[in-house]
Amino acid sequence: TSGHDGPRMLKAIEDGKTVSGGIVPKAVARALGVMEYNGAMGCIVAAPTAGSSGIVPGSMVTVQQEYGFSDEKIEDALFVASLMGVVMENRDVSFSGSVGGCQGEVGVSSAITAAAIASLFTDDPEAITHAMAICLKNLLGLVCDPIAGPIEVPCIKRNAVGVANAFTSADMALAGIRSY
């Protein structure tokens, strides 16, 4: 049942039973926890939407904890995330799960989070926007939607996300989390 997967993931991390180790499983556990709390009618911040509300805090809290960033630095990164959201909104990208489905909702939230994380490690606006773009194109679109003809774009970078997805999925299953 829903509501126990975040703690299951944390226990697996504490017991040293994650395959991918490190920062990603901790962010996953926090993201799951936020979504489970939301599902139990708890009060959350829908950032940017309720259906994707675990991504920003799960990632940002974990990065802050792992790298020791100040609250002010995290606030600046969250400002970057919000600006990237404004950019996407002005380009008519839907944040709505009811319009774009989970893939759209999670895609947008992941993309603004990628920009925020990148901004913690660089002031280069090009790198920050590319973090957003790479993340966004990995979670939006059709199963196969070649850009400008060649199948390499976006498939090459989707392979990288596929690897992260594989490790994360294995870690969750090994922690006792089940798919319904």
Side-chain angles (χ1 to χ4, degrees):
T1 61
S2 181
H4 304 286
D5 291 343
R8 278 189 188 105
M9 194 70 200
L10 283 175
K11 176 142 179 40
I13 294 163
E14 290 166 1
D15 293 347
K17 294 185 177 178
T18 58
V19 178
S20 57
I23 194 169
V24 173
K26 290 176 186 174
V28 167
R30 288 184 173 108
L32 289 169
V34 170
M35 288 302 299
E36 289 174 334
Y37 189 70
N38 176 44
M41 304 309 287
C43 183
I44 55 112
V45 174
T49 63
S52 66
S53 61
I55 297 169
V56 172
S59 299
M60 299 309 291
V61 167
T62 303
V63 169
Q64 182 179 31
Q65 182 184 57
E66 293 293 312
Y67 288 94
F69 289 114
S70 68
D71 288 347
E72 292 78 20
K73 187 80 172 160
I74 295 297
E75 289 168 7
D76 288 346
L78 291 171
F79 186 66
V80 168
S82 66
L83 287 174
M84 295 295 110
V86 169
V87 167
M88 283 192 275
E89 192 279 327
N90 284 321
R91 304 289 292 185
D92 295 323
V93 174
S94 175
F95 288 61
S96 169
S98 61
V99 172
C102 290
Q103 193 169 336
E105 192 171 30
V106 169
V108 167
S109 187
S110 299
I112 66 172
T113 303
I117 292 169
S119 76
L120 290 168
F121 296 93
T122 185
D123 290 331
D124 178 8
E126 188 173 351
I128 293 166
T129 55
H130 277 288
M132 179 182 80
I134 290 167
C135 189
L136 189 63
K137 78 178 178 185
N138 278 306
L139 286 173
L140 294 180
L142 304 173
V143 173
C144 185
D145 55 350
I147 297 171
I151 60 166
E152 301 89 36
V153 178
C155 295
I156 291 172
K157 291 173 188 74
R158 283 185 175 170
N159 275 255
V161 169
V163 168
N165 188 14
F167 274 95
T168 300
S169 297
D171 279 341
M172 288 192 297
L174 293 169
I177 297 170
R178 298 297 176 245
S179 177
Y180 298 97

